[in-house]
Amino acid sequence: MKNEAFNRFLNLLKTIRLGWLVPFLLLMKGENPREQLRAITTGVVFPVLAVVLFLGVWAVSSSQIVTKFGTVPGPAQVRSAWGSLMNERRLETIKEADHVQRQRESRIRYLEKYSDVLAELPGGAPDLGRLAASEKAVAEASATFAQVTELLEVQNKISVAADADEASQLLGEFKHDSASAFAEGLLADLLPLELAYREAERTLNLSPEFNVQKDDSQETRAAKGKSRQTAAKALAAQKADLMIARQQATTAATVRAAGIIDAIPRATTSALKRFDAQAAQLAPRLNGWYDEVVAAEEATGTKFKDKVKLKMLAKAFTDSPYPGKDTYIGQIITSLKTVFFGFFIASLVAIPIGILCGLNRHINTALNPLIQIFKPVSPLAWLPIVMIVVGALHVSDDPMFQLSFVNSAITVALCSLWPTLVNTAVGVASVDKDYLNVAKVLKLSWLQRVFKVVLPASLPLVFTGLRLSLGVGWMVLIAAEMLAQNPGLGKFVWDMFQNGSSETLSMIMVAVFTIGIIGFLLDTIMLSLQQLVSFGEAAV
């Protein structure tokens, strides 16, 4: 029984593309060590060596290619760019927390300033018990966020310092020990790189050694050109190292800032949550009172004396959403939503049509020319048509889905439905005729034959089509998002390209690896599902 469970586990690993772990487990079990070592060498060592070789060639060759934006990013720069994107998400979280804290501060001020208005609130004054505790908690949180704000500003101040002396003088301007200690670290680690890069850049741009003069001979001009090219390559590499150091410093600052926020005492956090809950209950009462008072007073021709105060109170206690930008993780989620939505539409269309084509050769013959014509059409051709048609139909003032999302999803659907349609038709057409004859003998209805005989027998090929469709949809998505400006990975790549700097080239490389890894995971999921319905047959 144990061996059966172990074998099922090994089969599961193979199904989810973790079959490279199987030789290790068998080796630990002591089964044929020589064969397992051979399998490990073939399935693990060789691929790892290939990856290491690729990274080595990439690292060496990238530093030799200098564009107008700098060197082509190598593995270190791409890893740094990934850290920068993750740090951006952390920074947005800190900014959102600061936004909420500013709302609390505003509410406390208005509670103190307009307490007389609250005393007249219909239904009785709000129960703001423990208001003193809330005021104290908000004040403590404000002090914490002031410390965080100063900490996040340290790097910019140190980086723009003209020299080490000016940077050292900044240490006395910081009010908090955390900012001062972080600044001291930047003085030792980051500032020398900043100053060295500025000096190298100044030398390259101004030194006669690298810049052609009017009276220089042809030989001198050629020699200076070569020297300048070599110096420019060294400067680009120096800039790449500086960008990595800046990213590491930014990450260190945000990690420390997040730690400071997390270190807020539990009692203070509880008081803040209690105050937020009270504010959430008070907001609808204030808004309702304002609407009723305004309507009643204006109907009688009189004016409510505290109308302005009440309006300001209602505005202060109405939640204002944080207007932050989408982070990289948010853009990945948007792309996944788009591709699955398009894939779902494609499947709803392709599977029924495929079944009809597989069951009836006349329908198949009639639709085949259309399938062959539309199947190879590029998403770049479909998208303008989709944008025009959807733009004409998408007229709601408060739509469920954004226009750019719908454009991208439908384009994905139009380009990805063909593999599913073709494979479904082939799978249905290849169902054993004996199964259909048995269904006739049992006098099954047409729908019963489809759901109880045809679909179960053709599922392996249907899933092959679904797997291919999802892969096509994921590839099409990036182009569709670029042109439709849907806020996903495609738009991210386009924005980085438009930005056009050495750092954004690294960001694009991060997006390339992200797209590839997600595509691999999606294919793995579909392959696993396909193997589950293949009845022991090897999935392709």
Side-chain angles (χ1 to χ4, degrees), residues 128-455:
L128 295 172
R130 301 184 181 180
L131 181 58
S134 297
E135 292 177 349
K136 181 181 178 182
V138 171
E140 291 174 353
S142 298
T144 298
F145 278 95
Q147 181 181 356
V148 166
T149 301
E150 186 178 61
L151 178 62
L152 295 177
E153 293 174 350
V154 169
Q155 182 178 342
N156 289 335
K157 292 183 177 180
I158 295 296
S159 295
V160 299
D163 51 40
D165 292 335
E166 181 180 330
S168 298
Q169 292 175 2
L170 293 172
L171 291 178
E173 299 179 6
F174 297 119
K175 300 177 182 179
H176 301 93
D177 293 340
S178 57
S180 299
F182 185 60
E184 289 178 358
L186 295 185
L187 284 176
D189 300 329
L190 181 61
L191 186 61
L193 295 177
E194 295 276 5
L195 298 178
Y197 175 74
R198 287 183 219 162
E199 181 60 30
E201 187 179 35
R202 189 181 302 111
T203 301
L204 179 64
N205 292 331
L206 302 178
S207 174
E209 179 184 354
F210 305 113
N211 294 278
V212 175
Q213 306 297 318
K214 291 183 179 180
D215 55 348
D216 286 343
S217 64
Q218 193 67 27
E219 293 79 6
T220 303
R221 290 171 182 266
K224 285 186 175 181
K226 291 182 179 179
S227 298
R228 183 176 181 83
Q229 186 177 10
T230 302
K233 187 179 294 186
L235 182 65
Q238 194 173 352
K239 183 179 180 180
D241 293 338
L242 176 59
M243 297 302 295
I244 292 175
R246 286 177 179 173
Q247 185 272 318
Q248 291 173 342
T250 303
T251 299
T254 53
V255 168
R256 293 188 186 191
I260 291 172
I261 295 175
D262 292 339
I264 294 177
R266 183 175 299 178
T268 301
T269 304
S270 298
L272 293 174
K273 289 181 178 178
R274 184 169 56 250
F275 179 67
D276 290 341
Q278 293 170 341
Q281 294 174 359
L282 181 58
R285 295 183 63 192
L286 289 172
N287 283 304
W289 185 26
Y290 178 79
D291 294 338
E292 293 171 5
V293 167
V294 170
E297 294 293 337
E298 289 184 353
T300 59
T302 59
K303 187 176 180 180
F304 180 58
K305 63 176 181 177
D306 291 326
K307 176 181 175 181
V308 175
K309 294 180 179 180
L310 177 57
K311 183 176 181 179
M312 296 178 69
L313 262 175
K315 184 178 179 181
F317 277 85
T318 301
D319 277 334
S320 172
Y322 172 64
K325 62 180 181 179
D326 260 349
T327 62
Y328 189 63
I329 299 299
Q331 290 168 318
I332 292 174
I333 293 172
T334 298
S335 289
L336 288 172
K337 288 179 180 178
T338 306
V339 77
F340 279 120
F341 189 72
F343 175 69
F344 178 71
I345 295 174
S347 301
L348 286 181
V349 173
I351 293 176
I353 296 177
I355 292 173
L356 291 176
C357 290
L359 289 176
N360 191 306
R361 63 185 180 87
H362 299 295
I363 295 177
N364 183 55
T365 303
L367 294 181
N368 187 61
L370 297 176
I371 295 171
Q372 298 306 322
I373 290 172
F374 290 124
K375 184 171 65 173
V377 176
S378 165
L380 301 181
W382 278 121
L383 186 60
I385 300 173
V386 171
M387 293 176 71
I388 292 171
V389 174
V390 173
L393 300 175
H394 197 270
V395 293
S396 173
D397 294 330
D398 186 22
M400 182 180 298
F401 302 108
Q402 294 297 319
L403 182 61
S404 59
F405 174 86
V406 176
N407 287 332
S408 300
I410 293 180
T411 303
V412 168
L414 286 172
C415 295
S416 65
L417 63 86
W418 311 109
T420 298
L421 195 159
V422 172
N423 278 272
T424 301
V426 172
V428 171
S430 61
V431 172
D432 195 327
K433 302 304 178 185
D434 291 339
Y435 296 162
L436 298 177
N437 292 332
V438 170
K440 290 180 180 179
V441 171
L442 295 175
K443 297 182 179 180
L444 297 180
S445 67
W446 187 84
L447 283 178
Q448 287 177 323
R449 272 184 286 165
V450 169
F451 286 102
K452 293 187 177 181
V453 178
V454 174
L455 272 181

Side-chain angles (χ1 to χ4, degrees), residues 441-493:
V441 171
L442 295 175
K443 297 182 179 180
L444 297 180
S445 67
W446 187 84
L447 283 178
Q448 287 177 323
R449 272 184 286 165
V450 169
F451 286 102
K452 293 187 177 181
V453 178
V454 174
L455 272 181
S458 59
L459 269 182
L461 274 174
V462 172
F463 267 89
T464 298
L466 290 171
R467 177 188 168 198
L468 294 173
S469 289
L470 186 57
V472 170
W474 183 246
M475 287 190 293
V476 165
L477 173 73
I478 305 305
E481 286 184 333
M482 280 186 179
L483 297 180
Q485 290 295 288
N486 187 41
L489 286 172
K491 185 176 184 299
F492 172 82
V493 172

